Amino acid sequence: MEFEKRKAATLASIRSSVTDKSPKGFLDEPILHLLETINHHPSYFTTSSCSGRISILSQPKPQSTNPSTKKKARGGSWLYITHDPADPESVLHLLFPPHPPTQITDPLDQPSELVFRFEPLIIAIECKDVRSAQFLVATAISAGFRESGITCCGEGKRVIIAIRCSIRMEVPLGDTGKVMVSREYVKFLVDVANEKMVANRKRTDGFGLALLSNGFKDPDDANDVEEEDNFEKLAENHESSINNGDLLPGNSLSSIFYIEFMCISR
């Protein structure tokens, strides 16, 4: 019953007008149908997601006094982000403005690193049991998400899986003081990232179709999906765990016990 209560709380939060805990505050539109497909199955519900994104991240440089500082612990901010193919002209205008602003800066201030990134789809899903988790992981791997696996599993623990793949990219561009690459190279990076975004969408669509062919119900079909779920009543006082966008490739999953289910698709 605890699984059902956690699921009810999460779905009630998703369907409310309250924003989630991600910086953006709402779910990514390109995967809304996929998330609904998963969440309407009685054995699953999504806890975190990102449809895939192209971004330019500004992050502090490592402190020379502490070389062991991890990159992911340095924070930073997005200068550019899109969940669709990137517009090359917008990226070029950001990195190479026609009239760079003149400003007085503190000489102690250090320029921040600029990193161009593409990150593919990733979805964290709580499963009712290990058998359900194994099935969903195998289905995801066969659809091209070959890094999918169980991230948390054990006696008394929640069964959490991550749907993900390895077509990400991360390229340093220089820093906020000087971009070290040419306009032509930036155009090339945008083209590569856009190709990866197209591949990411194809895999995502393929995963959704695989679910529908394996008994999942289409949330757009009124005859297949019951609308009287009454999630608010079941939620009671359980806090929702929805957190769109927090679970990113290469981040927190590395510190959790990870089980890979290998699958050979034929």
Side-chain angles (χ1 to χ4, degrees):
M1 190 61 183
E2 289 303 312
F3 171 86
E4 285 76 12
K5 289 181 179 179
R6 288 194 299 271
K7 176 172 181 174
T10 298
L11 298 189
S13 176
I14 291 175
R15 297 180 179 189
S16 74
S17 60
V18 179
T19 58
D20 63 38
K21 298 177 184 178
S22 69
K24 186 177 59 174
F26 52 89
L27 299 172
D28 295 344
E29 184 176 356
I31 55 171
L32 286 178
H33 186 273
L34 175 61
L35 299 182
E36 282 291 305
T37 299
I38 295 170
N39 288 328
H40 273 94
H41 193 287
S43 297
Y44 308 103
F45 69 93
T46 60
T47 63
S48 182
S49 62
C50 178
S51 64
R53 61 191 178 194
I54 299 170
S55 65
I56 297 176
L57 177 69
S58 171
Q59 60 186 12
K61 293 185 177 181
Q63 298 294 326
S64 58
T65 56
N66 186 12
S68 64
T69 301
K70 296 181 179 179
K71 181 182 293 187
K72 67 181 180 181
R74 286 186 271 149
S77 59
W78 283 311
L79 302 183
Y80 176 89
I81 185 168
T82 179
H83 296 276
D84 296 306
D87 175 28
E89 293 305 317
S90 297
V91 175
L92 288 171
H93 189 273
L94 173 68
L95 296 175
F96 305 98
H99 303 290
T102 58
Q103 57 183 359
I104 300 175
T105 58
D106 188 329
L108 296 179
D109 285 348
Q110 295 294 322
S112 296
E113 293 178 344
L114 295 179
V115 182
F116 183 89
R117 306 169 74 177
F118 168 76
E119 297 160 294
L121 171 92
I122 185 166
I123 306 176
I125 303 168
E126 180 167 347
C127 308
K128 192 169 186 178
D129 49 46
V130 174
R131 184 176 180 180
S132 298
Q134 290 174 325
F135 167 78
L136 203 56
V137 166
T139 304
I141 291 175
S142 67
F145 293 98
R146 302 185 187 279
E147 287 192 353
S148 300
I150 297 179
T151 65
C152 184
C153 179
E155 185 176 354
K157 294 183 179 180
R158 298 163 64 184
V159 182
I160 308 292
I161 69 171
I163 307 301
R164 60 182 187 175
C165 64
S166 61
I167 59 173
R168 64 187 65 92
M169 64 182 289
E170 184 170 332
V171 182
L173 302 174
D175 58 37
T176 50
K178 184 178 181 180
V179 176
M180 302 299 293
V181 298
S182 67
R183 295 173 62 92
E184 290 72 21
Y185 187 66
V186 171
K187 287 183 179 180
F188 168 75
L189 290 179
V190 172
D191 287 343
V192 173
N194 285 342
E195 289 176 0
K196 289 180 177 291
M197 181 65 81
V198 171
N200 178 65
R201 289 285 175 83
K202 287 182 178 179
R203 294 186 187 190
T204 302
D205 292 343
F207 179 48
L209 290 175
L211 295 181
L212 295 177
S213 67
N214 278 281
F216 283 67
K217 297 184 183 299
D218 188 338
D220 290 340
D221 190 337
N223 295 323
D224 282 346
V225 178
E226 294 183 2
E227 296 296 338
E228 303 299 325
D229 295 310
N230 198 7
F231 296 117
E232 289 79 4
K233 181 178 179 181
L234 288 174
E236 296 178 350
N237 295 322
H238 285 254
E239 182 179 357
S240 170
S241 59
I242 187 69
N243 197 351
N244 176 42
D246 264 10
L247 188 58
L248 304 178
N251 282 2
S252 58
L253 290 182
S254 59
S255 61
I256 304 176
F257 182 60
Y258 185 82
I259 304 175
E260 184 77 29
F261 283 93
M262 301 306 296
C263 174
I264 301 175
S265 57
R266 300 183 182 276

